Structure formats: structure tokens, C-alpha cells
Amino acid sequence: TAMPPLRIANRDARRLWLSAHGFGAAPTGPRDTAALIKALGFVQIDTIQVVSRAHHHILWSRMQSYREPDLEGLLGRGRQVFEHFTHDASVLPMEFLPMWQRQFRRMKEKVARSSWYGGALDADLLESVKRRIAEEGPLSTRDFETQIDGPKAMWQRPPHKKALDYLWYAGELATSHRDGFTKVYDLAERVFPPDLRAAQMPDAAQIDWLCDAALERIGFGTLGEIRKFWAATEGHEVAAWAERGAAGMVAVEVEGYDGSWSKAWACADIEDRLQSATVPNRLRILNPFDPAIRDRVRLKRLFGFDYTVEMFVPAVKRQWGYYV
């Protein structure tokens, strides 16, 4: 007979969740930004800056010896991380590149289908953008001069910017470095290490790795939450992975802040994690894109904290204001 699900009380679930996201120890110790990014899986990058930009804040809240130039050193000079799209623009460890090949294809197809890009993906324009970068070296959108047709609107981009983005999503261009926050593009073969770029990994193996790596980093979650971690798989692919790997997972029931219970999956060593997970009694200041809190639905279920970024709520329905 099947074992009954392991029940995780809300207090333990909160402790486990925070510990899994890098809050299980004081933010002191050695300054190893690359290791921290690998432990988290990725770090979302964003322009919003109050204390500091989101990516710097995420790293600093876990490692207070971190300094902002560290990340640019890993991206630009060190080539230890690369930029691409998870649920949003992010930096990932360069060693993950072989497991990211199908995500380049997925994003290329998604962007090509998008009506937002319209006629900007003209073959001659794409070729001319790549040729200029090949001949002139890394370029940013400031180095091109195509104009927006018609009236300007928020989020609208000129054709060359759409072409640069499409080639970047497709993995044909890569972020060479950033000038301030401006992305500078280069040919992927001049940014990505040849051995990692050439590595061939079947799609099924990439899916298994993505799901395994997601569950390892969150400790427990629904199949939907496992899928949303990287946002690089489809629901049916995660369901098939769960069927294949059920022996390596533990069925659990997790108590919410309101006393309700929900079914989830946990990593094989969940009982050891429950025994060892600690959270120091120390104040941490998190930004809205921190991986521990960015899923607002899960945040409310576990912590009872109703946190809506109201820029995405119609103005008449906002309770607090645009940024809250």
C-alpha cells in the first residue's frame, strides 16, 4: 500500500521555504557570488531601483559582502553567468547552458508568433543586425537608428530593438556585458564557451534536469510551481517527469497560513531538511522580485501576506497605489 502523504505544518513549511531560499544562515561568510547564483538557480534582473536594482538586492540580502561590480565581473569579463529569459530576464550560471538549448528554441518560436513584433522580424533586417555586430563587435540599441512608425506608445520599440531582442531570445546573440543597465549584444559564439555551446543534450534530459533542479531549490511545491520555477517547460512535460520520477519524490500535504491543507511534492530528502532547516532571528529586507516572495499566490498561501503589485491592477481597483 502507498504511504500516506507526509504532513508539513505551516510553521515548518515557512521555515523550510525560507531556508531553501538562502535564509537559513546569517548573510555573512565568504564572498562567492557565482556559488550563490548557482544555489538560487537564477537571479532576476530588473530596472526598478529604490535601495538598489533588484538583482543586486537579491544577492546582497543573502551575502552582505556582495558589491554591485561583482555581477558585471561574472557576466562581462568572467563569462561565468549568462543572461536569458526564465519567467523574466535573469542571469544564470554559464554551466547551465547545455540544459538551456531548448529554451532558446521555445523563446524563438514564442517571439516569432507574437503580434507585438509585427513586421520587425524581416530577414534582411535580422541579417543586417547580425552582420554589423560580426564586423563591428558588441553593440547596443544606441548604435542603431531605425525609427518607430506612427505614434509612440509605452513599451513600443523600434525595429532594430525588436530584431536584437528576437536574436537574443533565439540564442543567436548574447549579452556581452552591460553599460550601466544598457544591454550590449554580441554574437553568441563569441560569448558562450564553445564546449558548452556545442554540448548536445536530448530534450527529455533537459526537461528532467529542469524539473529536478527546480524541486531541489524549492524543496516542495505543486507541479505547477515546479514548472513556474524556470518557466522553461510545459505543464504536460512536468506531469510526465513526475510520472517517471515518482520514486524519487515524496508526496506531502502542506498546511497554509489559514489552516487549509494542499497536496504537493517534495524532494527525496525532505525529512532531513525539516530536521535541519533553521532561520536566524534576523531582519532581512527583500525586494518584490526576490525568489522567496515573487509568487504572490504562494506567498499568501504560506505566509498570509497579500502582496499585489498594483501596477498590473486596473486603476479603479487599486487599494494602495501603483507600486504596491
Side-chain angles (χ1 to χ4, degrees), residues 6-9 13 220 252-256 260-264 302:
L6 174 69
R7 301 198 106 196
I8 303 176
F220 65 89
V252 295
E253 291 182 355
V254 182
E255 185 182 19
S260 63
W261 293 83
S262 57
K263 296 181 185 298
L302 285 180

Side-chain angles (χ1 to χ4, degrees), residues 152-175:
K152 291 186 178 182
M154 189 174 181
W155 303 115
Q156 201 168 9
R157 298 290 184 268
H160 70 263
K161 173 58 175 166
K162 293 182 180 181
L164 288 165
D165 283 348
Y166 171 78
L167 293 165
W168 180 83
Y169 282 122
E172 295 181 45
L173 297 181
T175 305

Side-chain angles (χ1 to χ4, degrees), residues 78-153:
R79 299 288 190 240
Q80 292 184 61
V81 299
F82 70 98
E83 275 192 24
H84 205 247
F85 208 83
T86 55
H87 70 292
D88 212 318
S90 301
V91 291
L92 302 97
M94 187 66 80
E95 64 196 87
F96 291 0
L97 193 67
M99 288 74 79
W100 210 251
Q101 298 300 330
R102 70 187 294 274
Q103 178 69 342
F104 289 132
R105 295 200 310 273
R106 289 177 80 249
M107 293 305 299
K108 179 180 181 178
E109 291 164 5
K110 182 177 179 179
V111 171
R113 292 194 303 268
S114 169
S115 59
W116 189 82
Y117 279 81
L121 305 183
D122 165 289
D124 290 340
L125 174 62
L126 295 175
E127 184 56 36
S128 70
V129 166
K130 286 184 69 176
R131 186 171 57 251
R132 277 199 60 191
I133 292 173
E135 293 172 355
E136 299 176 36
L139 299 175
S140 76
T141 187
R142 298 169 180 166
D143 296 303
F144 296 85
E145 296 178 350
T146 63
Q147 301 297 315
I148 295 170
D149 291 328
K152 291 186 178 182

Side-chain angles (χ1 to χ4, degrees), residues 10 222 225 256-258 262 297-304:
N10 182 247
T222 65
E225 288 166 345
Y257 80 99
D258 60 356
S262 57
V297 174
R298 183 169 52 204
L299 183 67
K300 185 173 182 180
R301 188 172 74 243
L302 285 180
F303 292 88

